[in-house]
Amino acid sequence: MAKNYVRENVPLSRFGVLVAQLESIVASAAHKPPDALLCFDLLSDLVSAIDEEPKESILLWQRKCEDALYSLLVLGARRPVRHLASMAMTGLIAKGDGISIYSRASSLQGFLSDGKKSEPIRVAGAAQCLGELYHHFGRRITSGLLETTNIVTKLMKFNEDFVRQEALHMLQNALEGSGGSAAASAYTEAFRLIMRLAVGDKSFTVRIAAARCLRAFANVGGPGLGIAELDHSASCCVKALEDPVPSVRDAFAEALGAVLALGMNPEAQVQPRGNSQFAPKKLEGGLQKHLVMPFMKASGPRLKDIRIGVTLSWVFFLQAIRLKYLHPDSELQNFALQVMEMLRVDTSVDAQALVFLFATNFNFGFVSFSLFDEMRYVDISNDPISW
């Protein structure tokens, strides 16, 4: 916990005044719930003050400010308020005494472990703050990733979809913040809960969060994920391209591109601590199975959605291959040839998907996504080639 640097007879700075006001609001909460607009304005000023205040002044009030922010979060704040409170907490620790990251993360984990289903807003606030701490300080608190994963599993049982969404957002931040450096068991449990509880959730916002977790897994090297897990996650992403919600399809298309790009680059696959038997391997035939064949075999009322989703996956795949894994342009041309061969097989290919794929091939993944958004609504089926 941050040391208590507050001294007697020290003039109040702007930051100190804001902390005192926040303490007053928290103290009054037992009799009257905090006013959301008042809290929002106060926290906005507090975040600005943390940026502007010298470290010496931050240290004088850090302990009191952290305690007040924590109390406000666990009292049950609306999303905009808890977002600002989480930002203030991370900024405070980053600029002040960084040692308090360990006690704050531990106290939030303890609260979430004991969280009751009757207190969804309070649980969501603590989860959002812990996620922000992982986002900024994840490599310093990797030892808690397994406990955090177990907490997410518990929160996925809440009826409120915003709690499940916030839990997965916390997990995404924890995966990205840890960067593949945590224990193998943490990643094993995280992958299991994503595949079993999240990707098929009844809420579309939770499904989007699940897709982002899969993307985060791939972006940090898929710690401990073997060929079977990569193949399984890619298959789930392809299945999700049939989802009736466009934003869900887009999220899983991006995840599919990231997973396949990792599968094509075994040297980038991460071996987590405690898993000496992990042997990175290339996902042979992954492009044919998860990109080419789904495009060619698509049928039914979702045919167009599936093919648009697959084309978007191609874009994300090519971007990752070129920008993240630094493959030369010659290899990208080989991938483009696979796309062209795929298109030749079926002359009834949707015109929008055809044009988008042409653009992808010729630009090697550097396609404007505003163009993709426009193509959802503009009818170009009469003259795709001239476009």
Side-chain angles (χ1 to χ4, degrees):
M1 183 69 69
K3 298 177 181 179
N4 193 344
Y5 290 89
V6 178
R7 302 181 180 91
E8 298 293 336
N9 302 319
V10 176
L12 281 178
S13 64
R14 173 174 176 250
F15 176 66
V17 171
L18 292 171
V19 172
Q21 291 176 344
L22 182 61
E23 287 184 305
S24 176
I25 289 174
V26 171
S28 303
H31 309 288
K32 180 182 178 182
D35 180 80
L37 186 57
L38 176 63
C39 290
F40 184 89
D41 289 341
L42 175 60
L43 291 172
S44 297
D45 293 339
L46 185 64
V47 170
S48 298
I50 291 172
D51 290 336
E52 299 166 359
E53 203 81 3
K55 181 174 181 177
E56 293 73 20
S57 180
I58 295 291
L59 291 173
L60 287 173
W61 296 95
Q62 181 175 352
R63 173 67 177 272
K64 287 180 174 292
C65 188
E66 286 184 18
D67 289 343
L69 289 169
Y70 176 85
S71 297
L72 182 64
L73 285 164
V74 299
L75 279 172
R78 298 291 182 180
R79 184 175 179 83
V81 172
R82 61 179 187 254
H83 171 69
L84 286 174
S86 300
M87 285 180 59
M89 183 76 81
T90 55
L92 198 62
I93 295 173
K95 194 167 185 178
D97 187 356
I99 194 68
S100 65
I101 178 60
Y102 302 106
S103 58
R104 287 302 165 190
S106 178
S107 61
L108 288 166
Q109 285 180 324
F111 178 82
L112 290 169
S113 296
D114 298 333
K116 301 176 182 178
K117 286 190 175 183
S118 59
E119 303 171 337
I121 296 180
R122 299 177 65 186
V123 168
Q128 184 165 356
C129 187
L130 183 56
E132 284 296 317
L133 293 181
Y134 266 109
H135 179 70
H136 290 85
F137 313 105
R139 290 185 180 272
R140 295 171 59 182
I141 51 176
T142 54
S143 60
L145 183 58
L146 179 58
E147 182 180 352
T148 298
T149 302
N150 292 332
I151 289 171
V152 175
T153 301
K154 174 184 176 181
L155 299 188
M156 289 300 293
K157 299 177 182 178
F158 274 62
N159 295 324
E160 294 80 6
D161 55 1
F162 69 87
V163 175
R164 304 196 301 277
Q165 179 188 8
E166 206 64 70
L168 290 176
H169 189 210
M170 176 176 67
L171 180 61
Q172 177 191 345
N173 282 328
L175 291 171
E176 293 174 341
S178 300
S181 59
S185 56
Y187 296 109
T188 300
E189 289 302 315
F191 183 75
R192 181 180 291 118
L193 83 87
I194 293 169
M195 302 308 293
R196 290 185 178 181
L197 303 178
V199 296
D201 194 274
K202 61 184 179 181
S203 168
F204 78 91
T205 59
V206 178
R207 297 197 298 276
I208 292 173
R212 290 172 179 167
C213 285
L214 286 178
R215 182 195 63 194
F217 242 118
N219 287 342
V220 299
L225 299 187
I227 292 298
E229 288 80 11
L230 289 174
D231 186 71
H232 179 45
S233 57
S235 296
C236 286
C237 289
V238 172
K239 179 65 176 176
L241 297 181
E242 302 177 21
D243 197 282
V245 181
S247 53
V248 174
R249 297 196 298 270
D250 292 351
F252 277 100
E254 185 175 0
L256 177 58
V259 168
L260 292 177
L262 176 64
M264 297 291 291
N265 293 271
E267 69 282 355
Q269 296 170 19
V270 172
Q271 175 178 331
R273 293 187 291 108
N275 188 0
S276 59
Q277 298 181 348
F278 178 75
K281 294 180 181 179
K282 186 175 182 179
L283 184 60
E284 299 291 349
L287 298 183
Q288 183 72 20
K289 179 179 179 181
H290 301 296
L291 290 182
V292 176
M293 295 307 296
F295 189 95
M296 294 169 56
K297 292 186 175 181
S299 61
R302 295 290 178 189
L303 180 147
K304 179 178 175 180
D305 293 337
I306 295 171
R307 284 180 168 169
I308 292 291
V310 171
T311 61
L312 186 56
S313 295
W314 270 109
V315 173
F316 285 115
F317 170 77
L318 291 173
Q319 283 185 324
I321 287 293
R322 184 69 183 89
L323 300 178
K324 182 177 178 65
Y325 301 110
L326 304 178
H327 285 228
D329 288 347
S330 58
E331 291 194 29
L332 296 179
Q333 293 172 0
N334 293 333
F335 292 131
L337 291 175
Q338 292 186 51
V339 177
M340 299 300 292
E341 188 63 31
M342 175 185 74
L343 293 174
R344 289 193 188 100
V345 175
D346 188 353
T347 58
S348 65
V349 171
D350 182 283
Q352 290 188 340
L354 175 62
V355 175
F356 193 59
L357 278 170
F358 278 147
T360 303
N361 293 333
F362 295 146
N363 291 280
F364 301 116
F366 300 93
V367 180
S368 167
F369 290 107
S370 62
L371 170 64
F372 176 76
D373 291 333
E374 291 176 9
M375 291 175 62
R376 294 180 184 279
Y377 307 105
V378 178
D379 183 9
I380 57 176
S381 58
N382 292 329
D383 193 11
I385 303 303
S386 64
W387 176 90

